[in-house]
C-alpha cells in the first residue's frame, strides 16, 4: 500500500497520566506484570454523585449505561496507559479510544478524574452538565479537546468516524489501534450497522489499521428491554462473525479481570492480523451497582434518585462494604445540604399532543404510533399505553421509523412518529423526502427544539431544525408553544389528514416542533387556535406612540412575554405573535400587525440565524412589497453546550427577555 502523508495536525489530547488511579484494584497482565486499574465500584459511586449534582441543578442525567461500562472502560484505559508507559510514547500515539455510548460519558469523566487526566479532579466533576463546565452531557471535543477525541451523543454517530480514523491511520502508515465502545441500543442505528459491515470489508483489503469494537450487550435501551419492546438484536450480533469480525465472547462484562484479559487478547489478535477486526461481545448488566437499577426494565437509564437524602444509601449499596473515602463522603454531605433548583411551573407541551392523539383515535381515526425509543419524552407514551395494538417500537432507528411510517401511510393509516428534534431532522430528512415522493405523508412530533435539551449539550440541541425540513415539498412545519395550542393544532391536523385521504387527495406531512421544559398551559384566556394561523398573544400597539411587532417562535414565547411586559411598563406598545405556521407563514395576520406597529419588526427564534423562520418570513414579506425594519435574535453560528436549563443558554446567546428589550430599544425605536 502506498503511504499518503496527511497535513501535520497537533493532537490536542492531554498526555498519558503517570499516576495510578485514586481508587485502584491491582491485577496481573498476561505477561505477569502488576497493573493498577480504576475500581469500577468507585466509578459508579462517583457517577452517582455527579448525577445528583445535575439533578439538584434541574438537569436530567444517566446512571445505567456508565454503570454497565465501568469495568470495560477501566480495563481499556489502564491497558492503553500501560502500553504507553512501556513504549515511551503517548497513549494516543498507540490508540484511538472512541466512545459511541454517549450516555456513558460521565463514567469516563469519573474514570479520568481518578487519574487526574486532563487536570480533572473529583472537585471538577461537581459541575457536570452545568453551563460552567466543559464536562458536557455527552463528550464534545469542541469544548473539551484535551479529554475527548471525537464528539458523541446521537447513537451510532461516532462509530463510522472511528472507522475513518482507522482507515486514515492505515493510509498514513501510523502504528495505531482504534478501540471503539458501543452499546447494544446504539447498534440498532443504521450508521452503526453500516460501520459494522464496512470495517471488516476494508480491513480484509488491507485498508484499515487494527480495530477493536467493545460491545456492551444488556438487552436494554432507554425505555426497556430491546427484545420485548422492539425486536431481538442477537441474530444480528451472531451475524458479525460471518461479516468478518473475530468475536471474543465475554460472558461477564462486569468482571474486571475478565475484561482486562479480553482487551489484551483483542489487542494481540488485531495487531498480529489487522485484516480481521476484533469484536468483544460483552454481556453486561445495565444499572449494576444497586438492586433497583439493575432489575428495572430500563436498567436505571436515567438517574433514579430525586433527592439528595437518598444518595448516601445508594452509594453505600454500590460500594457494598468498601470504604467510603472522605472525599466522596464530604461530597455527599455537600449535596445533602444543597437546595435543589425550584421546579418550573406549568406543564409539558407534550400533554396536549397525547390528548389530541387519544381523542382522535377514540373518535375512529386509524392512528398508529411508530416510535424509536423516546416516547416518554415526546408526548406519545400515554397514547401507546391506551392503544398498544396500534404501537410499534422499531428501536433506536429514527430513519427506519419514518420509512416504516410511510409504509403505514401508503396502506391507509395515519402514522405518527416521534423523537428529539435533532434526530428527527438529521436522520429523518431523507426518509421524509422519500415518504412524500411516495405520496406517503406522515405526522411527526419532534421535541426538545433549540436549547430546550439543555443538559444533553450540543449534540442533542437542534439549532437548524427549521431549515432542515422547511424546503421539502408537501411538508408543513409548525412550532408549538403550550399544551392547549398543541391539543388544538394537532387535532386539526389529524382531521385535515383524514379528510384529504377520504377525498382522494394526498395529505400534507405535518411536522410539529416542541420544547422539553414546562410551559404555561395557555398564554391568554378564551383563545381560539387555528391551524395555519398565527396566535396573537398580546396587542397593546394602540396604547402607545412607540410600538413594535414581536414574532416569537415556539419555545421563545415565555421570554418574549417577559420582554413585552417590560416594554409596556416603559410605555412601548407591543403586538406579540406566535407564528406557529413556519414554512407557509400566515402573511395576512403578520402583515397586519407589522403595519400596525409602523413596520417595526423583531423576530426571536431558538434557531441558527441562517435559514430560520426570519429568513423564510422576510423573503415572503419582501415579495409582497411590505416595508419594514427588521431585527433578528437567533443563534449566531455557534454550537450549544450543556446547561441545567434552557434559560441559561438563552441568556448566553442573547435570546432572553433582557436582550429582546435592549435590541428593540437600541435598534428599532
Amino acid at each position: 500500500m502506498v503511504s499518503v502523508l496527511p497535513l501535520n495536525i497537533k493532537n490536542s489530547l492531554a498526555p498519558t497520566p503517570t499516576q495510578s488511579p485514586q481508587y485502584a484494584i491491582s491485577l496481573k497482565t498476561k505477561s505477569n506484570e502488576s497493573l493498577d486499574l480504576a475500581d469500577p465500584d468507585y466509578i459508579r459511586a462517583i457517577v452517582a454523585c455527579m448525577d445528583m449534582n445535575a439533578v439538584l441543578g434541574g438537569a436530567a442525567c444517566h446512571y445505567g449505561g456508565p454503570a454497565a461500562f465501568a469495568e470495560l472502560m477501566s480495563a481499556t484505559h489502564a491497558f492503553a496507559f500501560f502500553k504507553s508507559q512501556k513504549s515511551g510514547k503517548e497513549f494516543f500515539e498507540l490508540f484511538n479510544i472512541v466512545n459511541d455510548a454517549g450516555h456513558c460519558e460521565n463514567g469516563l469523566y469519573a474514570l479520568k478524574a481518578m487519574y487526574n487526566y486532563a487536570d480533572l479532579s473529583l472537585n471538577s466533576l461537581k459541575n457536570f452538565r452545568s453551563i460552567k463546565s466543559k464536562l458536557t452531557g455527552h463528550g464534545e471535543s469542541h469544548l473539551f479537546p484535551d479529554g475527548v477525541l471525537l464528539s458523541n451523543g446521537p447513537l451510532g454517530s461516532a462509530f463510522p468516524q472511528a472507522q475513518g480514523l482507522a482507515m486514515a491511520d492505515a493510509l498514513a502508515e501510523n502504528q495505531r489501534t482504534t478501540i471503539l465502545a458501543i452499546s447494544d441500543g446504539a447498534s440498532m442505528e443504521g450508521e452503526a450497522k453500516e460501520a459494522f459491515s464496512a470495517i471488516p470489508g476494508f480491513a480484509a483489503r488491507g485498508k484499515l489499521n487494527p480495530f477493536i469494537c467493545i460491545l456492551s450487550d444488556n438487552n436494554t435501551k432507554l425505555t426497556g428491554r430491546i427484545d420485548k419492546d422492539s425486536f431481538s438484536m442477537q441474530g444480528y450480533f451472531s451475524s458479525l462473525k460471518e461479516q468478518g469480525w473475530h468475536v471474543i465472547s465475554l460472558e461477564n462484562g462486569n468482571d474486571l479481570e475478565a475484561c482486562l484479559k479480553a482487551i489484551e487478547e483483542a489487542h494481540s489478535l488485531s495487531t498480529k492480523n489487522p485484516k480481521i477486526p476484533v469484536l468483544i461481545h460483552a454481556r453486561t448488566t445495565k444499572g449494576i451497582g444497586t438492586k433497583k437499577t439493575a432489575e428495572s426494565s430500563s436498567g436505571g437509564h436515567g438517574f433514579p434518585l430525586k433527592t439528595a437524602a437518598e444518595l448516601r444509601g445508594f452509594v453505600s449499596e454500590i460500594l457494598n462494604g468498601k470504604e467510603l473515602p472522605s472525599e466522596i463522603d464530604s461530597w455527599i454531605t455537600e449535596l445533602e445540604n444543597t437546595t435543589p433548583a425550584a421546579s418550573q411551573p406549568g406543564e409539558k407541551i407534550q400533554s396536549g399532543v397525547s390528548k389530541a392523539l387519544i381523542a382522535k383515535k377514540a373518535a375512529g381515526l386509524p392512528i398508529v404510533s411508530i416510535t424509536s425509543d423516546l416516547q416518554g419524552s415526546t408526548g406519545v407514551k400515554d397514547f401507546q399505553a391506551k392503544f398498544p395494538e396500534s404501537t410499534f417500537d422499531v428501536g433506536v432507528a429514527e430513519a427506519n421509523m419514518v420509512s416504516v411510517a410511510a409504509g403505514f401511510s401508503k396502506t391507509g393509516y395515519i402514522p405518527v412518529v416521534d423523537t428529539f428534534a435533532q434526530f428527527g431532522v438529521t436522520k429523518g430528512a431523507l426518509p421524509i423526502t422519500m415518504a412524500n415522493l411516495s405520496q406517503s405523508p406522515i405526522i411527526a412530533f419532534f421535541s426538545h427544539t433549540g436549547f430546550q435539551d439543555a443538559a444533553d449539550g450540543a449534540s442533542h440541541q437542534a439549532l437548524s431544525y427549521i431549515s432542515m425540513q422547511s424546503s421539502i415539498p408537501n411538508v408543513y412545519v409548525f412550532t408549538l408553544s403550550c399544551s392547549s395550542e398543541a391539543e388544538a393544532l394537532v387535532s386539526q391536523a389529524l382531521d385535515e389528514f383524514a379528510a384529504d385521504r377520504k377525498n382522494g387527495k394526498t395529505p400534507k406531512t405535518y411536522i410539529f416542533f416542541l420544547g422539553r421544559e414546562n410551559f404555561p398551559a395557555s398564554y391568554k384566556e378564551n383563545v381560539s387556535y387555528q391551524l395555519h394561523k398565527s396566535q396573537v398573544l398580546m396587542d397593546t400597539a394602540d396604547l402607545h406612540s412607540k410600538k413594535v411587532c414581536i414574532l416569537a417562535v415556539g419555545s421563545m414565547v415565555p421570554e418574549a412575554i417577559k420582554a413585552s411586559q417590560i416594554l409596556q411598563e416603559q410605555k412601548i406598545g407591543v403586538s406579540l405573535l406566535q407564528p406557529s405556521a413556519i414554512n407557509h407563514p400566515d402573511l395576512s395576520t403578520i402583515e397586519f400587525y407589522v403595519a400596525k406597529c409602523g413596520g417595526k419588526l423583531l423576530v426571536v427564534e431558538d434557531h441558527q440565524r441562517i435559514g430560520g423562520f426570519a429568513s423564510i418570513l422576510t423573503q415572503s414579506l419582501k415579495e409582497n412589497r411590505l416595508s419594514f425594519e427588521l431585527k433578528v435574535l437567533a443563534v449566531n453560528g455557534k454550537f450549544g453546550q450543556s446547561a441545567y436549563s434552557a434559560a441559561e443558554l438563552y441568556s448566553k446567546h442573547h435570546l432572553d427577555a433582557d436582550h429582546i428589550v435592549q435590541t428593540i430599544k437600541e435598534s428599532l425605536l
Side-chain angles (χ1 to χ4, degrees):
M1 183 173 178
V2 178
S3 174
V4 179
L5 295 179
L7 298 173
N8 187 22
I9 300 176
K10 182 182 182 299
N11 195 311
S12 298
L13 291 172
T16 309
T18 57
Q19 65 188 62
S20 294
Q22 189 171 357
Y23 312 114
I25 292 177
S26 186
L27 295 175
K28 294 290 186 181
T29 66
K30 187 169 59 176
S31 57
N32 204 37
E33 294 176 89
S34 183
L35 177 61
D36 287 339
L37 297 84
D39 188 325
D41 288 334
Y42 285 102
I43 293 176
R44 287 185 272 266
I46 293 169
V47 165
C49 292
M50 293 168 65
D51 285 356
M52 195 77 254
N53 264 109
V55 167
L56 293 176
C61 43
H62 305 93
Y63 173 77
F69 256 114
E71 284 82 4
L72 289 163
M73 290 298 95
S74 172
T76 297
H77 285 77
F79 176 75
F81 296 159
F82 170 75
K83 296 294 286 187
S84 166
Q85 291 158 1
K86 294 280 288 184
S87 70
K89 296 182 178 181
E90 297 292 354
F91 82 94
F92 51 75
E93 296 178 89
L94 303 177
F95 299 95
N96 296 312
I97 301 179
V98 179
N99 177 35
D100 200 335
H103 294 145
C104 305
E105 196 71 30
N106 50 349
L108 291 177
Y109 296 149
L111 168 65
K112 291 171 182 176
M114 285 197 202
Y115 285 98
N116 196 223
Y117 176 74
D119 294 325
L120 289 183
S121 64
L122 293 189
N123 196 55
S124 67
L125 300 179
K126 295 178 182 179
N127 289 321
F128 169 59
R129 287 199 166 205
S130 80
I131 200 169
K132 298 179 289 186
S133 177
K134 61 186 178 182
L135 306 182
T136 51
H138 299 84
E140 293 176 12
S141 62
H142 78 295
L143 290 177
F144 190 19
D146 46 338
V148 176
L149 176 60
L150 292 179
S151 299
N152 61 56
L155 300 182
S157 62
F159 193 177
Q161 290 187 51
Q163 173 191 330
L165 290 176
M167 293 175 71
D169 277 340
L171 183 60
E173 296 187 350
N174 292 329
Q175 301 303 307
R176 184 158 48 196
T177 299
T178 295
I179 303 177
L180 180 282
I182 193 168
S183 65
D184 47 357
S187 301
M188 304 179 87
E189 287 281 13
E191 286 180 277
K193 289 180 177 177
E194 290 173 6
F196 269 126
S197 298
I199 285 170
F202 280 109
R205 296 179 57 207
K207 293 184 177 294
L208 196 102
N209 261 27
F211 197 100
I212 300 169
C213 177
I214 302 172
L215 169 63
S216 174
D217 180 6
N218 40 59
N219 189 35
T220 313
K221 53 188 180 64
L222 187 154
T223 56
R225 302 304 178 190
I226 291 175
D227 57 358
K228 179 177 180 292
D229 290 352
S230 49
F231 56 89
S232 173
M233 287 290 290
Q234 297 311 308
Y236 180 74
F237 293 151
S238 297
S239 76
L240 295 177
K241 181 178 180 180
E242 294 300 318
Q243 292 189 55
W245 290 84
H246 182 103
V247 179
I248 297 174
S249 295
L250 179 57
E251 287 305 313
N252 186 355
N254 296 119
D255 179 322
L256 184 60
E257 187 171 9
C259 289
L260 178 59
K261 289 180 179 178
I263 292 291
E264 289 188 288
E265 181 185 358
H267 184 255
S268 175
L269 289 168
S270 64
T271 51
K272 285 178 181 176
N273 186 4
K275 291 192 172 185
I276 302 178
V278 179
L279 172 73
I280 299 175
H281 185 186
R283 303 285 184 173
T284 60
T285 299
K286 190 173 181 180
I288 190 171
T290 76
K291 187 174 186 293
K292 177 181 178 181
T293 50
E295 293 182 355
S296 71
S297 61
S298 68
H301 182 86
F303 190 53
L305 307 187
K306 304 302 181 186
T307 67
E310 306 168 83
L311 180 61
R312 191 172 294 276
F314 190 83
V315 170
S316 177
E317 185 177 354
I318 291 171
L319 295 180
N320 193 28
K322 293 181 180 178
E323 177 188 0
L324 179 66
S326 59
E327 300 93 343
I328 297 178
D329 180 50
S330 61
W331 189 354
I332 294 172
T333 300
E334 180 183 323
L335 289 165
E336 290 169 336
N337 293 321
T338 299
T339 302
S343 59
Q344 196 174 30
E347 63 184 37
K348 302 289 186 186
I349 300 173
Q350 286 84 337
S351 65
V353 171
S354 62
K355 287 177 183 177
L357 291 173
I358 290 170
K360 292 301 178 182
K361 178 75 170 179
L365 293 187
I367 301 168
V368 293
S369 171
I370 318 298
T371 195
S372 59
D373 198 36
L374 288 171
Q375 56 267 39
S377 300
T378 57
V380 301
K381 183 178 180 180
D382 290 346
F383 173 88
Q384 294 180 352
K386 195 168 183 64
F387 302 105
E389 75 288 348
S390 297
T391 297
F392 304 88
D393 188 338
V394 300
V396 189
E398 295 83 5
N400 185 250
M401 170 186 70
V402 173
S403 294
V404 167
F408 273 89
S409 178
K410 196 72 172 179
T411 314
Y413 292 96
I414 303 177
V416 299
V417 301
D418 67 286
T419 186
F420 288 2
Q422 180 73 324
F423 310 148
V425 301
T426 53
K427 301 186 179 187
L430 179 58
I432 288 172
T433 301
M434 296 310 298
N436 286 282
L437 269 174
S438 297
Q439 297 178 299
S440 302
I442 64 171
I443 294 178
F445 305 108
F446 294 156
S447 66
H448 297 51
T449 51
F451 292 126
Q452 282 285 301
D453 195 359
D456 279 328
S459 65
H460 282 48
Q461 290 164 356
L463 301 177
S464 299
Y465 63 99
I466 290 172
S467 60
M468 286 187 174
Q469 298 295 321
S470 290
S471 63
I472 300 175
N474 207 53
V475 169
Y476 281 166
V477 172
F478 299 89
T479 56
L480 301 171
S481 63
C482 62
S483 59
S484 61
E485 182 183 42
E487 183 176 3
L489 299 191
V490 170
S491 295
Q492 293 170 36
L494 290 164
D495 286 340
E496 279 192 7
F497 194 108
D500 282 343
R501 280 294 193 210
K502 289 175 183 177
N503 293 327
K505 297 168 59 179
T506 299
K508 302 295 184 184
T509 282
Y510 299 81
I511 301 178
F512 291 95
F513 288 107
L514 54 148
R516 170 190 178 271
E517 297 179 355
N518 285 351
F519 294 82
S522 66
Y523 296 101
K524 56 188 291 188
E525 295 181 0
N526 304 317
V527 61
S528 177
Y529 300 106
Q530 295 181 57
L531 196 65
H532 313 295
K533 299 292 288 184
S534 298
Q535 279 73 59
V536 182
L537 304 175
M538 182 183 302
D539 183 24
T540 61
D542 292 331
L543 302 179
H544 306 285
S545 58
K546 291 182 178 180
K547 60 194 73 175
V548 64
C549 180
I550 302 175
L551 302 184
V553 176
S555 298
M556 300 314 305
V557 166
E559 293 295 331
I561 288 177
K562 292 177 195 173
S564 299
Q565 291 167 343
I566 295 170
L567 291 167
Q568 284 189 84
E569 292 171 1
Q570 299 177 6
K571 309 301 182 184
I572 298 171
V574 176
S575 294
L576 173 60
L577 283 66
Q578 202 288 84
S580 57
I582 297 299
N583 63 337
H584 296 87
D586 171 20
L587 293 180
S588 61
T589 302
I590 294 171
E591 287 182 359
F592 173 83
Y593 284 98
V594 172
K596 185 176 183 179
C597 294
K600 309 290 187 179
L601 173 61
L602 176 107
V603 177
V604 56
E605 55 184 323
D606 55 348
H607 189 279
Q608 295 290 354
R609 178 177 294 273
I610 297 174
F613 173 70
S615 298
I616 295 169
L617 176 67
T618 51
Q619 177 182 332
S620 299
L621 293 178
K622 281 299 181 184
E623 287 177 345
N624 280 8
R625 297 187 175 183
L626 184 69
S627 178
F628 59 93
E629 295 179 54
L630 172 70
K631 290 299 294 184
V632 178
L633 292 181
V635 184
N636 197 16
K638 302 288 185 182
F639 288 113
Q641 67 182 89
S642 288
Y644 287 160
S645 70
E648 294 175 295
L649 292 164
Y650 293 153
S651 178
K652 178 171 183 176
H653 291 269
H654 296 181
L655 303 177
D656 59 320
D658 289 342
H659 282 97
I660 294 173
V661 171
Q662 180 183 342
T663 300
I664 288 171
K665 293 176 68 176
E666 291 181 355
S667 302
L668 286 173
L669 299 180

